[in-house]
Amino acid sequence: GWNSDKSSFFIAIEDNGVGFSKKEEALIFSKGKTSKENHEGLGLFYVQEVAEMVHGKISFKSPGHNLGATFKISLPKNDKERS
């Protein structure tokens, strides 16, 4: 889902996929990190790169391995906040 306030848009994405452990958190946005066979591990890496390019933020949480995850992205609404 998504939401907004005066200065930012907020996007939340929740799944019931493989999730991750506390130990895996440090590597979650690493280029090449994947838990899937035949994947490049670029998705979350690029999401973080784009969010940072526009002065946005991404946060995440997971109750643990095989318990899904929630990612929250905030993006500024206007260019004034990006300068």
Side-chain angles (χ1 to χ4, degrees):
W2 70 278
N3 202 343
S4 67
D5 65 14
K6 287 177 111 176
S7 61
S8 298
F9 290 105
F10 303 99
I11 303 164
I13 301 160
E14 186 174 345
D15 71 21
N16 59 356
V18 297
F20 48 87
S21 67
K22 290 284 184 197
K23 188 171 118 177
E24 295 169 305
E25 284 184 10
L27 300 174
I28 202 80
F29 295 111
S30 297
K31 190 174 187 178
K33 170 70 176 149
T34 184
S35 61
K36 300 173 187 169
E37 197 172 314
N38 298 321
H39 282 80
E40 299 296 322
L42 298 175
L44 290 174
F45 170 77
Y46 284 132
V47 169
Q48 183 182 43
E49 290 285 309
V50 171
E52 289 176 353
M53 263 193 273
V54 297
H55 300 266
K57 296 179 184 175
I58 183 168
S59 63
F60 58 91
K61 66 179 180 176
S62 174
H65 192 69
N66 290 324
L67 297 173
T70 301
F71 289 83
K72 295 181 179 179
I73 303 167
S74 65
L75 301 169
K77 282 186 174 179
N78 61 47
D79 289 333
K80 291 178 188 173
E81 294 183 32
R82 290 188 249 171
S83 55

